[in-house]
Coordinates of all heavy atoms in Angstrom, one line a residue:
M43 N 6.4 17.9 14.4 CA 6.3 16.9 15.5 C 6.3 17.7 16.8 O 7.1 18.7 17.0 CB 7.5 16.0 15.4 CG 7.4 14.8 16.4 SD 8.7 13.6 16.1 CE 7.8 12.5 15.0
A44 N 5.6 17.3 17.8 CA 5.5 18.0 19.1 C 6.9 18.1 19.8 O 7.6 17.1 19.8 CB 4.5 17.3 20.0
Q45 N 7.2 19.2 20.3 CA 8.5 19.4 21.0 C 8.5 18.5 22.3 O 7.5 18.4 23.0 CB 8.7 20.8 21.5 CG 10.1 21.0 22.0 CD 10.4 22.5 22.2 OE1 9.5 23.4 22.0 NE2 11.5 22.8 22.7
G46 N 9.6 17.8 22.5 CA 9.7 16.9 23.6 C 9.1 15.6 23.5 O 9.1 14.8 24.4
L47 N 8.7 15.2 22.3 CA 8.1 13.9 22.1 C 9.2 12.8 22.1 O 10.3 13.0 21.7 CB 7.5 13.8 20.7 CG 6.9 12.5 20.3 CD1 5.7 12.2 21.1 CD2 6.6 12.4 18.8
D48 N 8.9 11.7 22.8 CA 9.8 10.6 22.9 C 9.0 9.4 22.6 O 8.1 9.0 23.4 CB 10.4 10.6 24.3 CG 11.6 9.6 24.4 OD1 12.2 9.4 23.4 OD2 11.8 9.2 25.5
L49 N 9.2 8.8 21.4 CA 8.4 7.7 20.9 C 9.2 6.4 21.0 O 10.4 6.4 20.5 CB 8.0 7.9 19.4 CG 7.3 6.7 18.7 CD1 5.9 6.6 19.3 CD2 7.3 7.0 17.2
L50 N 8.7 5.4 21.6 CA 9.4 4.1 21.7 C 8.4 3.1 21.1 O 7.2 3.0 21.5 CB 9.7 3.7 23.2 CG 10.3 2.3 23.4 CD1 11.7 2.3 22.7 CD2 10.4 2.1 24.9
T51 N 8.9 2.4 20.1 CA 8.0 1.4 19.4 C 8.9 0.3 18.9 O 10.0 0.2 19.2 CB 7.2 2.1 18.3 OG1 6.3 1.2 17.7 CG2 8.1 2.6 17.2
Y52 N 8.3 -0.6 18.2 CA 9.0 -1.8 17.6 C 8.7 -1.9 16.1 O 7.8 -1.2 15.6 CB 8.6 -3.1 18.3 CG 7.2 -3.5 18.1 CD1 6.8 -4.4 17.1 CD2 6.2 -3.0 18.9 CE1 5.5 -4.7 16.9 CE2 4.8 -3.3 18.7 CZ 4.5 -4.2 17.7 OH 3.2 -4.6 17.5
L53 N 9.5 -2.7 15.4 CA 9.3 -2.9 14.0 C 8.7 -4.2 13.7 O 9.0 -5.2 14.4 CB 10.6 -2.8 13.3 CG 11.4 -1.5 13.5 CD1 12.8 -1.6 12.8 CD2 10.6 -0.3 13.0
T54 N 7.8 -4.3 12.7 CA 7.3 -5.6 12.3 C 8.2 -6.1 11.2 O 8.9 -5.4 10.5 CB 5.8 -5.4 11.8 OG1 5.8 -4.5 10.7 CG2 4.9 -4.9 12.9
G55 N 8.1 -7.4 11.0 CA 8.9 -8.0 9.9 C 10.3 -8.3 10.4 O 10.7 -8.0 11.5
E56 N 11.1 -8.7 9.5 CA 12.5 -9.0 9.8 C 13.4 -8.3 8.7 O 12.9 -8.1 7.6 CB 12.8 -10.5 9.7 CG 12.0 -11.4 10.7 CD 12.6 -11.3 12.1 OE1 13.8 -11.0 12.2 OE2 11.8 -11.5 13.0
P57 N 14.6 -8.0 9.1 CA 15.5 -7.4 8.0 C 15.6 -8.5 7.0 O 15.6 -9.7 7.2 CB 16.8 -7.2 8.8 CG 16.4 -7.0 10.2 CD 15.2 -7.9 10.4
G58 N 15.7 -8.1 5.7 CA 15.9 -9.0 4.6 C 17.2 -9.8 4.6 O 18.1 -9.4 5.4
P59 N 17.3 -10.8 3.8 CA 18.6 -11.5 3.7 C 19.7 -10.6 3.3 O 19.5 -9.7 2.4 CB 18.3 -12.6 2.7 CG 17.0 -12.3 2.1 CD 16.3 -11.2 2.9
G60 N 20.9 -10.8 3.8 CA 22.0 -10.0 3.5 C 22.1 -8.6 4.2 O 23.1 -7.9 4.1
V61 N 21.1 -8.3 5.0 CA 21.2 -7.1 5.8 C 22.0 -7.3 7.0 O 21.9 -8.3 7.7 CB 19.7 -6.7 6.2 CG1 19.8 -5.5 7.2 CG2 18.9 -6.3 5.0
A62 N 22.9 -6.4 7.3 CA 23.8 -6.5 8.4 C 23.0 -6.6 9.7 O 22.0 -5.9 9.8 CB 24.8 -5.3 8.5
S63 N 23.5 -7.4 10.7 CA 22.8 -7.5 11.9 C 22.7 -6.2 12.7 O 23.8 -5.6 12.9 CB 23.5 -8.5 12.8 OG 23.4 -9.8 12.2
P64 N 21.5 -5.7 13.0 CA 21.4 -4.5 13.7 C 21.9 -4.6 15.2 O 21.9 -5.7 15.7 CB 19.9 -4.1 13.7 CG 19.3 -5.5 13.5 CD 20.2 -6.3 12.7
R65 N 22.4 -3.5 15.7 CA 22.8 -3.5 17.1 C 22.2 -2.4 17.9 O 21.8 -1.3 17.3 CB 24.4 -3.3 17.1 CG 25.1 -4.4 16.5 CD 26.6 -4.3 16.7 NE 27.2 -5.4 16.1 CZ 28.4 -5.4 15.6 NH1 29.1 -4.3 15.6 NH2 28.9 -6.5 15.0
V66 N 22.1 -2.5 19.2 CA 21.5 -1.5 20.0 C 22.4 -0.2 19.9 O 23.6 -0.3 19.9 CB 21.5 -1.9 21.5 CG1 21.1 -0.8 22.4 CG2 20.5 -3.1 21.7
G67 N 21.8 0.9 19.7 CA 22.5 2.2 19.5 C 22.7 2.6 18.1 O 23.0 3.7 17.8
D68 N 22.5 1.6 17.1 CA 22.6 2.0 15.7 C 21.6 3.1 15.4 O 20.4 3.0 15.8 CB 22.3 0.8 14.8 CG 23.5 -0.2 14.8 OD1 24.5 0.0 15.4 OD2 23.3 -1.3 14.2
A69 N 22.0 4.0 14.5 CA 21.1 5.0 14.0 C 20.2 4.4 13.0 O 20.6 3.5 12.2 CB 22.0 6.1 13.4
I70 N 19.0 4.9 13.0 CA 18.0 4.5 11.9 C 17.3 5.7 11.4 O 17.5 6.8 12.0 CB 16.9 3.5 12.5 CG1 16.2 4.1 13.7 CG2 17.5 2.2 12.9 CD1 14.8 4.6 13.3
E71 N 16.7 5.6 10.3 CA 15.9 6.7 9.7 C 14.5 6.1 9.4 O 14.4 5.1 8.7 CB 16.5 7.2 8.5 CG 15.7 8.3 7.8 CD 16.3 8.8 6.6 OE1 16.9 8.0 5.8 OE2 16.2 10.0 6.3
L72 N 13.5 6.7 10.0 CA 12.1 6.4 9.7 C 11.7 7.2 8.4 O 11.9 8.4 8.3 CB 11.1 6.8 10.8 CG 11.2 5.9 12.1 CD1 10.2 6.4 13.1 CD2 11.0 4.5 11.8
R73 N 11.2 6.5 7.4 CA 10.8 7.1 6.2 C 9.3 6.8 5.8 O 8.9 5.6 6.0 CB 11.6 6.6 5.0 CG 13.1 6.9 5.1 CD 13.8 6.3 3.9 NE 15.3 6.3 4.1 CZ 16.1 5.6 3.4 NH1 15.7 4.8 2.4 NH2 17.4 5.7 3.7
L74 N 8.6 7.8 5.4 CA 7.2 7.6 4.9 C 7.4 6.9 3.6 O 8.2 7.2 2.7 CB 6.5 8.9 4.7 CG 6.1 9.6 6.0 CD1 5.5 11.0 5.6 CD2 5.1 8.8 6.7
L75 N 6.6 5.8 3.4 CA 6.6 5.0 2.2 C 5.1 4.9 1.6 O 4.2 5.1 2.4 CB 7.0 3.6 2.5 CG 8.4 3.4 3.2 CD1 8.6 2.0 3.6 CD2 9.5 3.9 2.3
S76 N 5.0 4.7 0.4 CA 3.7 4.5 -0.3 C 2.8 5.6 0.0 O 1.6 5.4 0.4 CB 3.1 3.2 0.1 OG 4.0 2.1 -0.2
G77 N 3.2 6.9 0.0 CA 2.3 8.0 0.2 C 1.8 8.1 1.7 O 0.8 8.6 1.9
G78 N 2.6 7.5 2.6 CA 2.2 7.6 4.0 C 1.5 6.4 4.5 O 1.1 6.3 5.7
R79 N 1.2 5.4 3.6 CA 0.5 4.2 4.0 C 1.4 3.2 4.8 O 0.9 2.3 5.4 CB -0.1 3.5 2.8 CG -1.2 4.3 2.2 CD -1.8 3.5 1.1 NE -0.8 3.0 0.1 CZ -0.8 3.4 -1.2 NH1 -1.7 4.2 -1.7 NH2 0.2 2.9 -1.9
A80 N 2.7 3.5 4.8 CA 3.7 2.7 5.6 C 4.8 3.6 6.0 O 5.1 4.7 5.4 CB 4.2 1.6 4.7
I81 N 5.4 3.2 7.1 CA 6.6 3.9 7.6 C 7.7 2.8 7.9 O 7.5 1.9 8.7 CB 6.4 4.7 8.9 CG1 5.4 5.8 8.6 CG2 7.7 5.3 9.4 CD1 5.0 6.7 9.8
G82 N 8.8 2.9 7.1 CA 9.8 1.9 7.2 C 11.0 2.5 8.0 O 11.2 3.7 8.1
A83 N 11.8 1.6 8.6 CA 13.0 2.0 9.4 C 14.2 1.5 8.5 O 14.2 0.3 8.2 CB 13.0 1.4 10.7
F84 N 15.1 2.4 8.3 CA 16.2 2.0 7.4 C 17.5 2.3 8.2 O 17.6 3.2 9.0 CB 16.2 2.9 6.2 CG 15.1 2.5 5.2 CD1 13.8 3.0 5.5 CD2 15.3 1.6 4.2 CE1 12.8 2.7 4.6 CE2 14.3 1.3 3.4 CZ 13.0 1.8 3.6
S85 N 18.5 1.4 8.0 CA 19.8 1.5 8.6 C 20.6 2.7 8.0 O 20.2 3.2 6.9 CB 20.6 0.2 8.5 OG 21.0 0.1 7.1
A86 N 21.7 3.0 8.6 CA 22.6 4.1 8.0 C 23.0 3.7 6.6 O 23.3 4.6 5.8 CB 23.7 4.4 8.9
A87 N 23.1 2.4 6.3 CA 23.5 1.9 5.0 C 22.4 1.9 4.0 O 22.5 1.4 2.9 CB 24.2 0.5 5.1
G88 N 21.2 2.3 4.4 CA 20.0 2.3 3.6 C 19.3 1.0 3.5 O 18.4 0.8 2.6
E89 N 19.6 0.0 4.3 CA 18.9 -1.3 4.3 C 17.6 -1.2 5.2 O 17.6 -0.7 6.3 CB 19.8 -2.3 4.9 CG 21.1 -2.5 4.1 CD 22.1 -3.3 4.8 OE1 22.3 -3.2 6.0 OE2 22.7 -4.2 4.1
C90 N 16.5 -1.8 4.7 CA 15.3 -1.8 5.4 C 15.3 -2.8 6.5 O 15.6 -4.0 6.3 CB 14.1 -2.1 4.5 SG 12.5 -2.0 5.3
L91 N 15.0 -2.3 7.7 CA 15.0 -3.2 8.9 C 13.7 -3.7 9.3 O 13.5 -4.6 10.1 CB 15.7 -2.4 10.1 CG 17.1 -1.9 9.9 CD1 17.5 -1.1 11.0 CD2 18.0 -3.1 9.7
G92 N 12.6 -3.0 8.8 CA 11.2 -3.4 9.1 C 10.4 -2.2 9.0 O 10.8 -1.1 8.6
R93 N 9.1 -2.3 9.5 CA 8.1 -1.2 9.4 C 7.4 -1.0 10.7 O 7.4 -2.0 11.5 CB 7.1 -1.5 8.3 CG 7.7 -1.5 6.9 CD 6.7 -1.8 5.9 NE 7.3 -1.7 4.6 CZ 6.7 -1.5 3.4 NH1 5.4 -1.4 3.4 NH2 7.3 -1.5 2.3
L94 N 6.9 0.2 10.9 CA 6.1 0.4 12.1 C 4.8 -0.4 12.0 O 4.2 -0.5 10.9 CB 5.8 1.9 12.3 CG 6.9 2.8 12.6 CD1 6.4 4.2 12.8 CD2 7.7 2.4 13.8
P95 N 4.3 -0.9 13.1 CA 3.0 -1.6 13.1 C 1.9 -0.5 12.8 O 2.1 0.7 13.0 CB 2.8 -2.1 14.5 CG 4.1 -1.9 15.2 CD 4.9 -1.0 14.4
P96 N 0.7 -0.9 12.3 CA -0.3 0.0 11.8 C -0.7 1.1 12.8 O -0.8 2.3 12.5 CB -1.5 -0.9 11.4 CG -0.8 -2.2 11.1 CD 0.4 -2.3 12.0
A97 N -0.9 0.7 14.1 CA -1.4 1.7 15.0 C -0.3 2.8 15.3 O -0.6 4.0 15.3 CB -1.8 1.1 16.3
E98 N 0.9 2.3 15.4 CA 2.0 3.3 15.7 C 2.3 4.1 14.4 O 2.6 5.3 14.5 CB 3.3 2.5 16.1 CG 3.3 2.1 17.5 CD 2.5 0.8 17.7 OE1 1.9 0.2 16.8 OE2 2.5 0.3 18.9
R99 N 2.2 3.5 13.2 CA 2.3 4.2 12.0 C 1.4 5.4 11.9 O 1.7 6.5 11.6 CB 2.1 3.3 10.8 CG 2.1 4.0 9.5 CD 1.4 3.2 8.4 NE 0.0 3.1 8.7 CZ -0.7 2.0 8.5 NH1 -0.2 0.9 7.9 NH2 -2.0 1.9 8.8
D100 N 0.1 5.1 12.2 CA -0.9 6.1 12.1 C -0.6 7.3 13.1 O -0.7 8.4 12.8 CB -2.3 5.5 12.4 CG -2.7 4.6 11.3 OD1 -2.1 4.6 10.2 OD2 -3.7 3.8 11.5
A101 N -0.3 6.9 14.4 CA 0.0 7.9 15.4 C 1.2 8.8 15.0 O 1.2 10.0 15.1 CB 0.2 7.3 16.7
F102 N 2.3 8.1 14.5 CA 3.5 8.8 14.2 C 3.3 9.7 13.0 O 3.7 10.9 12.9 CB 4.6 7.8 13.9 CG 6.0 8.5 13.8 CD1 6.6 9.0 14.9 CD2 6.5 8.6 12.5 CE1 7.9 9.6 14.7 CE2 7.8 9.3 12.4 CZ 8.4 9.7 13.5
A103 N 2.5 9.2 12.0 CA 2.3 10.0 10.8 C 1.5 11.3 11.1 O 1.8 12.4 10.5 CB 1.5 9.2 9.8
E104 N 0.6 11.3 12.1 CA -0.1 12.5 12.5 C 0.8 13.5 13.2 O 0.5 14.7 13.2 CB -1.3 12.1 13.4 CG -2.4 11.4 12.8 CD -3.5 11.0 13.7 OE1 -3.5 11.5 14.9 OE2 -4.3 10.2 13.3
L105 N 1.9 13.0 13.8 CA 2.7 13.9 14.6 C 3.9 14.5 13.7 O 4.5 15.5 14.1 CB 3.4 13.1 15.8 CG 2.3 12.6 16.8 CD1 3.0 11.7 17.8 CD2 1.7 13.8 17.5
M106 N 4.1 13.9 12.6 CA 5.2 14.4 11.7 C 4.8 15.7 11.1 O 3.7 15.9 10.7 CB 5.6 13.4 10.6 CG 6.4 12.2 11.1 SD 6.9 11.2 9.7 CE 8.3 12.1 9.1
P107 N 5.7 16.7 11.0 CA 5.4 18.0 10.4 C 5.0 17.8 8.9 O 5.6 16.9 8.3 CB 6.7 18.8 10.5 CG 7.5 18.1 11.6 CD 7.1 16.7 11.6
A108 N 4.1 18.6 8.4 CA 3.7 18.5 7.0 C 4.9 18.7 6.1 O 5.8 19.5 6.3 CB 2.7 19.6 6.7
G109 N 5.0 17.8 5.1 CA 6.1 17.9 4.2 C 7.4 17.1 4.6 O 8.3 16.9 3.8
R110 N 7.5 16.7 5.8 CA 8.6 16.0 6.3 C 8.5 14.5 5.9 O 7.4 13.9 6.2 CB 8.8 16.1 7.8 CG 10.1 15.5 8.2 CD 10.7 16.2 9.4 NE 12.0 15.7 9.7 CZ 12.7 16.1 10.8 NH1 12.2 16.9 11.6 NH2 13.9 15.6 11.0
L111 N 9.5 13.9 5.3 CA 9.3 12.5 4.8 C 10.2 11.5 5.6 O 10.1 10.3 5.3 CB 9.7 12.5 3.3 CG 8.9 13.3 2.4 CD1 9.4 13.2 0.9 CD2 7.4 12.9 2.5
S112 N 11.0 12.0 6.5 CA 11.8 11.1 7.3 C 12.1 11.7 8.6 O 12.0 12.9 8.8 CB 13.1 10.8 6.6 OG 14.0 11.9 6.5
Y113 N 12.6 10.8 9.5 CA 12.9 11.3 10.9 C 14.0 10.4 11.5 O 13.9 9.1 11.3 CB 11.7 11.3 11.8 CG 11.7 12.5 12.7 CD1 11.2 13.7 12.3 CD2 12.2 12.3 14.0 CE1 11.3 14.8 13.2 CE2 12.3 13.4 14.9 CZ 11.8 14.6 14.4 OH 11.9 15.7 15.3
P114 N 15.0 10.9 12.1 CA 16.1 10.0 12.7 C 15.7 9.4 14.0 O 14.8 9.9 14.7 CB 17.3 11.0 12.9 CG 16.6 12.3 13.1 CD 15.4 12.3 12.3
G115 N 16.3 8.2 14.3 CA 16.1 7.6 15.6 C 17.2 6.6 15.9 O 18.2 6.7 15.2
R116 N 17.1 5.8 16.9 CA 18.1 4.8 17.3 C 17.5 3.5 17.7 O 16.3 3.5 18.2 CB 18.9 5.3 18.4 CG 19.7 6.5 18.1 CD 21.1 6.4 18.7 NE 21.9 7.5 18.2 CZ 22.9 7.3 17.2 NH1 23.1 6.2 16.7 NH2 23.6 8.3 16.7
I117 N 18.2 2.4 17.5 CA 17.7 1.1 18.0 C 18.0 1.1 19.5 O 19.1 1.4 20.0 CB 18.5 0.0 17.3 CG1 18.1 -0.1 15.8 CG2 18.2 -1.4 18.0 CD1 18.9 -1.1 15.0
S118 N 16.9 0.9 20.3 CA 17.0 0.9 21.7 C 17.1 -0.5 22.3 O 17.6 -0.6 23.5 CB 15.8 1.7 22.3 OG 14.6 1.0 22.0
A119 N 16.6 -1.5 21.6 CA 16.7 -2.9 22.2 C 16.5 -3.9 21.0 O 15.8 -3.6 20.0 CB 15.6 -3.1 23.2
L120 N 17.0 -5.0 21.2 CA 16.8 -6.2 20.4 C 16.2 -7.3 21.3 O 16.9 -7.8 22.1 CB 18.1 -6.7 19.7 CG 18.7 -5.7 18.7 CD1 20.1 -6.2 18.3 CD2 17.8 -5.4 17.5
V121 N 15.0 -7.6 21.1 CA 14.3 -8.5 22.0 C 14.2 -9.9 21.4 O 13.6 -10.0 20.3 CB 12.9 -8.0 22.4 CG1 12.2 -9.0 23.3 CG2 13.0 -6.6 23.0
P122 N 14.8 -10.9 22.0 CA 14.8 -12.2 21.4 C 13.4 -12.8 21.3 O 12.5 -12.5 22.1 CB 15.6 -13.1 22.3 CG 16.2 -12.2 23.3 CD 15.5 -10.9 23.2
R123 N 13.2 -13.5 20.2 CA 11.9 -14.2 20.0 C 12.2 -15.7 19.8 O 12.4 -16.2 18.7 CB 11.1 -13.7 18.8 CG 10.7 -12.2 19.1 CD 9.8 -11.7 18.0 NE 10.6 -11.4 16.8 CZ 10.1 -11.0 15.7 NH1 8.9 -10.8 15.6 NH2 10.9 -10.7 14.7
P124 N 12.3 -16.5 20.9 CA 12.8 -17.9 20.9 C 12.0 -18.7 19.9 O 12.5 -19.7 19.3 CB 12.6 -18.4 22.3 CG 12.4 -17.2 23.1 CD 11.9 -16.1 22.3
Q125 N 10.7 -18.4 19.7 CA 9.9 -19.3 18.9 C 10.2 -19.1 17.4 O 9.8 -19.9 16.6 CB 8.4 -19.1 19.2 CG 7.8 -17.7 18.7 CD 8.0 -16.6 19.6 OE1 8.9 -16.6 20.5 NE2 7.3 -15.5 19.5
L126 N 10.9 -18.0 17.1 CA 11.2 -17.7 15.7 C 12.7 -17.7 15.5 O 13.4 -17.1 16.4 CB 10.7 -16.4 15.3 CG 9.1 -16.2 15.3 CD1 8.7 -14.8 15.0 CD2 8.5 -17.2 14.4
Q127 N 13.2 -18.3 14.5 CA 14.7 -18.2 14.2 C 15.0 -16.9 13.6 O 14.1 -16.3 12.9 CB 15.1 -19.3 13.4 CG 15.0 -20.7 14.1 CD 15.6 -21.8 13.3 OE1 16.0 -21.6 12.1 NE2 15.7 -22.9 13.9
G128 N 16.2 -16.4 13.7 CA 16.6 -15.1 13.1 C 16.7 -14.0 14.1 O 16.8 -14.3 15.3
A129 N 16.7 -12.8 13.6 CA 16.9 -11.7 14.5 C 15.8 -11.5 15.5 O 14.6 -11.9 15.3 CB 17.0 -10.4 13.7
G130 N 16.1 -10.8 16.6 CA 15.0 -10.5 17.6 C 14.2 -9.3 17.1 O 14.5 -8.7 16.1
R131 N 13.1 -9.0 17.8 CA 12.3 -7.9 17.5 C 13.1 -6.6 17.8 O 13.7 -6.5 18.8 CB 11.0 -7.9 18.3 CG 10.2 -6.6 18.0 CD 8.8 -6.7 18.6 NE 8.0 -7.5 17.7 CZ 6.9 -8.1 18.0 NH1 6.4 -8.0 19.2 NH2 6.2 -8.8 17.1
I132 N 13.1 -5.7 16.8 CA 13.8 -4.5 16.9 C 12.9 -3.4 17.5 O 11.9 -3.1 17.0 CB 14.4 -4.0 15.5 CG1 15.3 -5.1 14.9 CG2 15.1 -2.7 15.7 CD1 15.7 -4.8 13.5
H133 N 13.4 -2.8 18.6 CA 12.7 -1.7 19.3 C 13.5 -0.4 18.9 O 14.7 -0.4 19.0 CB 12.6 -1.9 20.8 CG 11.6 -3.0 21.2 ND1 10.5 -2.7 21.9 CD2 11.6 -4.3 20.9 CE1 9.9 -3.8 22.1 NE2 10.5 -4.8 21.5
I134 N 12.8 0.6 18.6 CA 13.4 1.9 18.3 C 12.9 3.0 19.1 O 11.8 3.0 19.7 CB 13.3 2.2 16.8 CG1 11.8 2.4 16.5 CG2 13.9 1.2 15.9 CD1 11.5 3.0 15.1
R135 N 13.7 4.1 19.2 CA 13.3 5.3 20.0 C 13.6 6.5 19.0 O 14.6 6.6 18.4 CB 14.2 5.5 21.2 CG 13.8 6.7 22.0 CD 14.5 6.9 23.3 NE 14.3 5.7 24.2 CZ 13.2 5.6 25.0 NH1 12.2 6.5 25.0 NH2 13.1 4.5 25.8
V136 N 12.5 7.3 18.9 CA 12.6 8.5 18.1 C 12.3 9.7 19.1 O 11.3 9.7 19.7 CB 11.6 8.5 16.9 CG1 11.7 9.8 16.2 CG2 11.9 7.3 16.1
S137 N 13.2 10.6 19.2 CA 13.0 11.8 20.1 C 13.0 13.1 19.3 O 13.8 13.2 18.3 CB 14.1 11.8 21.1 OG 14.1 10.7 21.9
A138 N 12.3 14.0 19.7 CA 12.2 15.3 19.1 C 12.2 16.4 20.2 O 11.6 16.2 21.2 CB 11.0 15.5 18.2
G139 N 12.9 17.5 19.9 CA 12.8 18.6 20.9 C 14.1 18.8 21.5 O 14.5 19.7 22.1

């Protein structure tokens, strides 16, 4: 991954039932899934919080060093979505360098 990269993006989907409510500042881990066809964000407890949208997934996958299957990050914001019940949209920040 390029030195000094600072990626801010959001996750699609919602955390599954029984997943602890995420909070701003919580550590996450981005993991390549399905041979790189998806990148999921997982909590420190290993619970799936959502996935990167396709465009961000493609850009991030190109920047990850060869052979690396995960990368740490943090939840930077929870944005309410009044039209939908449940958790707000999760925004994450991944920094390298």
Side-chain angles (χ1 to χ4, degrees):
M43 189 174 263
Q45 187 171 4
L47 176 71
D48 193 25
L49 173 73
L50 178 64
T51 187
Y52 65 94
L53 303 177
T54 61
E56 299 284 336
V61 173
S63 296
R65 295 186 178 152
V66 172
D68 284 356
I70 57 101
E71 180 182 32
L72 290 180
R73 298 180 192 163
L74 287 175
L75 306 171
S76 304
R79 292 186 306 243
I81 298 178
F84 292 82
S85 70
E89 300 169 316
C90 186
L91 301 174
R93 294 181 178 200
L94 292 183
E98 283 82 356
R99 174 203 62 218
D100 294 345
F102 190 75
E104 288 179 14
L105 298 171
M106 285 186 78
R110 187 150 187 185
L111 301 178
S112 67
Y113 218 84
R116 294 222 170 258
I117 295 176
S118 61
L120 297 172
V121 179
R123 294 187 286 179
Q125 71 277 17
L126 300 175
Q127 292 186 353
R131 176 170 279 163
I132 300 171
H133 288 243
I134 60 169
R135 181 175 300 278
V136 179
S137 299

